[in-house]
Amino acid sequence: MKNIFKRLLNVKGMVVEDVSIDDSPLRDAPVLVARVRCRKAALRCSRCGRKCPKYDDGGGERRWLHQDFGCYRVELVGPAPRVECRVHGVVVSRVPWAEPGIRFTRDFEMECTWLMTVANRKTVSGFLHVAWRTAGDIAGRVAGRLESGMPCMCLCSMVLRPVERLVFSPKER
């Protein structure tokens, strides 16, 4: 079963340890929670990608919002140990599914950015269950990664020009 979820979540370098549905009364809708961790490999600095020794466990679990699966929202939950980089000092280790300091997975950000090219922020924010300002910030981040040549997933049918127009045009901010 874990292998099926690993394929459905579509993240390389990840091990799915457990999957459950959280339908607590504190949430407005049930959430599919996937407990994940990085494969056993050398820990890397989230800023430069260098192999680094482990510093500590990082003070608990982190949560990342992933693409919806059917009628369920999906959260990845896992440890984010800290490493001691010679260049950057003590930082959170790199995870293959998200950028450092961001609480959304790369797949979620790519979906949001693509949707921003075909719909307005309010529609996208309602569809993805995020604030409209967050949707705009995500599109800006992804456009910045695409412009800088930073490695990120291909937006097969998306052209960079509409993203620039949506993100950087003063009329649409």
Side-chain angles (χ1 to χ4, degrees):
M1 188 63 122
K2 293 176 189 175
N3 286 334
I4 292 170
F5 277 102
K6 182 179 177 184
R7 291 188 70 183
L8 290 172
L9 294 172
N10 190 32
V11 179
K12 291 179 175 69
M14 174 176 58
V15 175
V16 177
E17 294 181 333
D18 185 37
V19 179
S20 62
I21 295 177
D22 181 3
D23 57 352
S24 74
L26 300 175
R27 295 187 181 266
D28 59 343
V31 176
L32 186 71
V33 177
R35 296 205 170 276
V36 298
R37 66 174 169 79
C38 294
R39 280 188 298 176
K40 298 243 188 232
L43 297 174
R44 295 186 175 272
C45 173
S46 58
R47 306 288 178 219
C48 64
R50 293 182 181 168
K51 292 181 182 179
C52 301
K54 182 177 178 178
Y55 182 76
D56 65 11
D57 289 328
E61 295 179 326
R62 302 284 202 299
R63 290 181 175 268
W64 296 271
L65 190 60
H66 192 61
Q67 292 173 309
D68 290 354
F69 182 69
C71 62
Y72 292 102
R73 282 191 236 164
V74 177
E75 283 184 359
L76 302 184
V77 178
R82 296 191 303 170
V83 296
E84 189 169 10
C85 179
R86 289 178 296 175
V87 177
H88 299 101
V90 177
V91 295
V92 176
S93 68
R94 175 188 285 181
V95 292
W97 54 84
E99 296 297 324
I102 306 299
R103 63 184 192 96
F104 306 102
T105 64
R106 286 188 186 101
D107 285 349
F108 183 91
E109 288 193 332
M110 297 305 276
E111 177 183 25
C112 179
T113 303
W114 180 82
L115 285 170
M116 290 285 286
T117 65
V118 296
N120 63 34
R121 280 193 227 187
K122 185 174 180 182
T123 303
V124 173
S125 67
F127 185 72
L128 296 178
H129 312 287
V130 296
W132 65 266
R133 185 167 295 202
T134 303
D137 291 346
I138 289 171
R141 258 196 317 272
V142 172
R145 284 197 303 260
L146 289 171
E147 285 178 343
S148 71
M150 189 175 174
C152 65
M153 296 175 60
C154 174
L155 291 171
C156 299
S157 62
M158 185 176 130
V159 178
L160 185 57
R161 191 170 190 82
V163 175
E164 290 173 349
R165 184 182 56 80
L166 282 172
V167 175
F168 300 110
S169 172
K171 291 180 182 178
E172 297 198 42
R173 281 193 173 183

